[in-house]
Amino acid sequence: MGSYGAGGTHLDARRPVRAIALDIGSSRTRAWAPGAGVFADVPSTAVRRGRVSDDSAQLLLLKRLAAAAPGGDGHDTVVMLTHPVLAAPAEREAARRVVAGLGPVRVIAVDSARAAAAYAAPPGGGPLLVVDLGARLTEVTLVVDGQVQDARLAEIGVDDGRRPTRR
């Protein structure tokens, strides 16, 4: 999990700040905002097997989504970005770089399994097996007390019949 802000930028209590959650998948990109819920669910055009393949095209898509969000164009916004648990640092950085192009106040990056676990955590924080069956990736993660204990990724999803490649 990481938080990225423009150098030295902090939230100004006098100015309202919007919030958007983005799930950039291989097949679909979804956007959610408080009070509006999911306000966009569109095909991903520049993501291949969980990795941003074309920064410019993905940024254009995100700008369209941010403009459709309640309250503006993405500036002065806190963005939560989910990524696969096993995404490499370079892959996470590429996604963060694209989202930073929106001009948000802050980008909070969290792996999708911990985001799901935060929502569906069992009482007492016991173990939770999170299965993210995506269009082109399948990720299985064991989360205990909010921490990833183990994770596996197969590069196969519901949209293809390829033989899996594990990493």
Side-chain angles (χ1 to χ4, degrees), residues 8-145:
T9 301
H10 55 82
L11 300 179
D12 182 342
R14 296 167 294 170
R15 183 176 56 183
V17 176
R18 297 182 321 138
I20 298 174
L22 295 173
D23 179 11
I24 302 172
S26 297
S27 177
R28 311 286 299 173
T29 295
R30 295 173 184 89
W32 175 94
V38 175
F39 65 87
D41 182 351
V42 298
S44 292
T45 56
V47 179
R48 302 289 175 260
R49 299 212 175 272
R51 296 162 188 90
V52 175
S53 59
D54 182 339
D55 289 12
S56 300
Q58 190 63 30
L59 179 56
L60 284 174
L61 173 64
L62 295 181
K63 283 183 176 182
R64 276 195 0 234
L65 297 181
D73 64 359
H75 290 283
D76 295 335
T77 300
V78 175
V79 176
M80 174 174 265
L81 171 69
T82 62
H83 58 77
V85 172
L86 296 175
E91 295 162 357
R92 291 192 307 268
E93 177 59 24
R96 186 214 54 83
R97 194 173 49 248
V98 167
V99 171
L102 293 175
V105 171
R106 184 173 42 182
V107 176
I108 301 167
V110 63
D111 64 72
S112 55
R114 289 199 312 170
Y119 178 78
L128 181 65
L129 188 64
V130 178
V131 179
D132 183 351
L133 181 59
R136 295 184 186 96
L137 295 176
T138 299
E139 193 168 51
V140 179
T141 308
L142 176 62
V143 180
V144 179
D145 296 327

